[in-house]
């Protein structure tokens, strides 16, 4: 993937001219200017002009009375559609020219192009048609610096890392492999990583993580990623926690396969988002101290699996009555959240594919967010949600919901009831914190069973661009 400012003498297969409905395209369309005007008037977004070998694509972005974030999303979606045309024409290098559109819109368009261009084809050995890949986008836009394009590239590569991890099946990506993948990337990005093995996790008495792992033949891991630059703007670290259930069968509370268990390789989407964000933050050398925690295991119903009715002593010493082994995410996250206390964090953001309830509430369209970190942090995260179109729908986080988690024989039970499942899951987790805390349930947008525009098919990479934008904004 190459994104850079156009260099003198650089050649390309086609140029894309981006403008809004009022833009003057005559400098690019020559004698076809009237034709272009008519097409724009009739609502056409793209016009392809060819002259000999030269291809010029006139792309119009709608700008009618829309909020800024909608304009940016229009640009990503337009780029997704245009990618098809590039494929048709076998265009592998393009020049993208701003004809009056903002730097942000240009970046959004580039995002749409490159996120569409992503493919996960490592397991395909027989291609029916030779795979098409865009290779280079040269950019002509005065508002954009080399640094802007470098940071955009990093955000995209972080998202691809996240997508790759989510798309990997359990047959490859066990908890150990997940840790190894994050170790591998640490070298390139510059963050440090320590991985606890089962023995260490046992010695720490991480009861939640160990309980979920009991039904598995593969050992759990607990990874600690850290980016601590000298010039950090924050005194207290930010901590990111990601659910790393590399496969969720439900355990003994087994999930039905069809439309339920079959895509549960995505249940480490939170971990993958933390990994992708740490990769991007470190590669961009953002002056911010961030720690990532990733508890990981699969959830399986083997002979020694934890059972409904078990009482588990967690890492923080409190007890949990397990009434459904499919509510395993909160068991492993609880230990990671109490492990985070030692860092005295200024803010902890935890991401997880945690509940079907969140998925049912907002579909693929939003992240369900809640927390006690106060309006500043939540509003700023929501702003990043709009900037990246990884929008956050905030749910209430009232203490009343905790009533639903009362157990007769332990401090809490691991399921609430029929109602408010996304919130009771968040309230369960809050009990393991003593710091400002935001919980993001990404069960809805994390994985696409069918193609969803530039978000693609399979892992969408949700969370990575969101977090990267959030931390960029904190450091500038
Ligand atoms: N991993 C699932 C949640 C999920 C659902 C993720 C859909 C992605 C898409 C989680 O571990 C789970 O099974 N949650 C249960 C909790 C219930 C037993 C309280 C659920 O939501 O049904
Ligand atoms: Zn589950
Ligand atoms: Zn799960």
């Amino acid at each position: 993937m190459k994104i850079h400012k156009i260099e003198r003498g650089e050649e390309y297969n086609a140029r894309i001219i981006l403008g809004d409905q009022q833009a003057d395209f005559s400098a690019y369309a020559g004698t076809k200017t009237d034709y272009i005007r008519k097409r724009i008037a009739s609502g056409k977004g793209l016009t392809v002009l060819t002259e000999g070998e030269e291809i010029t694509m006139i792309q119009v972005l709608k700008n009618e009375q829309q909020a800024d974030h909608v304009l940016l999303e229009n640009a990503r979606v337009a780029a997704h559609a245009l990618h098809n045309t590039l494929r048709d024409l076998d265009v592998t290098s393009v020049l993208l020219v701003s004809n009056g559109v903002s730097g942000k819109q240009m970046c959004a368009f580039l995002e749409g192009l490159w996120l569409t261009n992503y493919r996960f084809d490592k397991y395909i050995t027989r291609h029916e048609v030779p795979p098409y890949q865009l290779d280079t986008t040269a950019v002509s836009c005065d508002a954009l610096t080399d640094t802007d394009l470098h940071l955009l590239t990093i955000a995209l590569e972080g998202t691809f890392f996240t997508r790759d991890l989510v798309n990997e099946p359990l047959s490859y990506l066990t908890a150990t492999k997940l840790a190894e993948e994050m170790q591998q990337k640490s070298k390139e990005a510059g963050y440090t990583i320590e991985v606890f093995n089962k023995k260490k996790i046992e010695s720490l008495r991480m009861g939640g993580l160990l309980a979920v792992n009991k039904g598995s033949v593969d050992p759990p891991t607990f990874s600690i990623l850290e980016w601590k630059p000298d010039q950090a703007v924050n005194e207290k670290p930010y901590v990111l926690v990601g659910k790393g259930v590399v496969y969720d069968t439900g355990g003994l509370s087994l999930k039905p396969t069809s439309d339920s268990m079959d895509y549960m390789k995505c249940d480490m989407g939170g971990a993958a988002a933390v990994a992708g964000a740490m990769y991007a933050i470190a590669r961009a050398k953002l002056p911010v101290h961030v720690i990532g925690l990733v508890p990981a295991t699969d959830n399986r119903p083997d002979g020694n699996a934890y059972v409904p009715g078990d009482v588990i002593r967690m890492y923080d010493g409190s007890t949990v009555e397990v009434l459904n082994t499919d509510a395993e995410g909160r068991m492993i996250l609880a230990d990671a959240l109490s492990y985070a206390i030692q860092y005295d964090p200024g803010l902890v953001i935890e991401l997880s594919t945690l509940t079907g309830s969140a998925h049912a509430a907002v579909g693929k369209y939003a992240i369900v967010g809640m927390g006690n970190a106060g309006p500043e942090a939540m509003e700023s995260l929501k702003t990043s949600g709009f900037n990246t179109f990884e929008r956050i729908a905030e749910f209430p986080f009232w203490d009343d919901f905790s009533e639903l988690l009362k157990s007769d024989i332990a401090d809490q039970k691991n399921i609430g009831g029929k109602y408010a499942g996304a919130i009771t899951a968040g309230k369960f987790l809050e009990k393991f914190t003593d710091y400002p805390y935001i919980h993001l349930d990404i069960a809805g947008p994390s994985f696409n069973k069918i193609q969803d525009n530039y978000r693609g098919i399979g892992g969408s990479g949700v969370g990575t661009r969101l977090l990267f934008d959030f931390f960029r904004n904190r450091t500038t």
Side-chain angles (χ1 to χ4, degrees), residues 16-75:
I16 305 167
I17 318 299
L18 268 191
D20 62 23
Q21 289 130 316
Q22 288 77 38
D24 174 7
F25 287 101
S26 56
Y28 307 96
T31 55
K32 309 243 176 70
T33 302
D34 274 347
Y35 167 65
I36 298 279
R37 271 202 201 106
K38 275 185 209 139
R39 284 192 50 96
I40 295 173
S42 71
K44 294 282 191 299
L46 175 66
T47 305
V48 181
L49 304 173
T50 48
E51 209 170 304
E53 294 276 275
E54 265 182 34
I55 305 173
T56 299
M57 299 178 175
I58 306 287
Q59 175 70 54
V60 172
L61 298 179
K62 287 192 202 124
N63 67 344
E64 287 155 344
Q65 298 167 358
Q66 304 266 26
D68 275 358
H69 75 273
V70 179
L71 290 182
L72 297 183
E73 183 63 1
N74 287 346

Side-chain angles (χ1 to χ4, degrees), residues 248-326:
D248 185 9
T249 68
L252 283 170
S253 311
L254 197 65
K255 286 181 186 293
T257 37
S258 168
D259 216 27
S260 182
M261 193 199 295
D262 35 11
Y263 296 101
M264 277 301 140
K265 67 173 184 180
C266 79
D267 213 16
M268 31 58 71
V274 169
M278 290 298 296
Y279 168 83
I281 291 164
R283 247 195 82 192
K285 296 191 167 43
L286 294 188
V288 62
H289 182 195
V290 191
I291 294 165
L293 300 179
V294 175
T297 177
D298 52 336
N299 182 25
R300 292 246 213 183
D302 194 22
N304 199 35
Y306 78 140
V307 300
D310 271 351
V311 175
I312 306 299
R313 189 169 295 278
M314 309 293 280
Y315 174 70
D316 74 342
S318 73
T319 54
V320 171
E321 180 187 10
V322 174
L323 285 174
N324 191 318
T325 63
D326 198 10

